[in-house]
Amino acid sequence: MHEERTLILVKPDGVSQGHIGEVITRLERKGYRIEALKVTNATRAQLDQHYEDKVDKPFYPEMVKYMQEGPIVAIIAAGISVVSVFRRMAGKTNVSEADFGTIRGDFGREWGDGIIRNVVHSSDSVEHAEREIAIWFELKNVCF
Ligand code: GDP
Ligand code: MG
């Protein structure tokens, strides 16, 4: 067991619906440390890097539209097993299947346009977390 970091994004629906505080509160309530936090607007270049495994999917243009609907909040959270534990706190990708008690289950909903707006992103591995942190915080003009 050792300290690790994860990258959390409060997505545009989470920001516009007023859930920034709730995400922060849940992190703090669980005892995780917030190492960095900022409000920003996702650029196309950042999204192409962040979602490199999705750029060729037919729904990728919808994802870009969604992620650029408004500002997002990027958070670096740290603690023991924070990557896997925050994934469980976030809940399932599909908001209508996400368990109540999870962020997506409590605050996410479908809007009838086919876009999966699910309130938060969280890294799925320590390796991906470090890669994603570089995209949103540390490295400018980086090429992956
Ligand atoms: P996550 O790790 O739970 O966020 O899920 P994935 O890594 O599988 O997908 C990343 C994000 O892409 C999801 O959170 C959704 O916003 C979006 N996404 C994934 N699959 C679909 C899909 O089939 N249709 C649409 N419109 N968006 C999707
Ligand atoms: Mg993912």
Side-chain angles (χ1 to χ4, degrees), residues 4-51:
E4 59 190 36
R5 305 195 294 175
T6 195
L7 185 276
I8 298 165
L9 300 176
V10 184
K11 296 183 178 185
D13 56 325
V15 173
S16 65
Q17 299 280 308
H19 302 313
I20 301 169
E22 186 69 38
V23 174
I24 292 169
T25 295
R26 288 179 184 222
L27 276 168
E28 291 188 320
R29 195 170 70 185
K30 189 70 180 166
Y32 289 127
R33 194 169 70 252
I34 293 173
E35 288 198 336
L37 183 153
K38 71 175 173 188
V39 180
T40 189
N41 290 286
T43 67
R44 178 64 192 249
Q46 284 173 312
L47 293 172
D48 287 355
Q49 290 169 6
H50 181 82
Y51 287 124

Side-chain angles (χ1 to χ4, degrees), residues 123-143:
S123 309
D124 62 10
S125 68
V126 172
E127 182 191 348
H128 287 170
E130 292 303 320
R131 182 183 164 280
E132 292 169 4
I133 285 168
I135 295 167
W136 298 100
F137 282 96
E138 286 164 0
L139 303 177
K140 305 288 181 216
N141 307 314
V142 69
C143 293

Side-chain angles (χ1 to χ4, degrees), residues 11 51 54 59 62-63 87 93 104 114-116 118:
K11 296 183 178 185
Y51 287 124
K54 300 276 187 298
F59 54 81
E62 292 178 0
M63 288 177 62
R87 290 279 292 180
T93 308
R104 288 166 166 176
I115 298 179
I116 299 178
N118 52 13

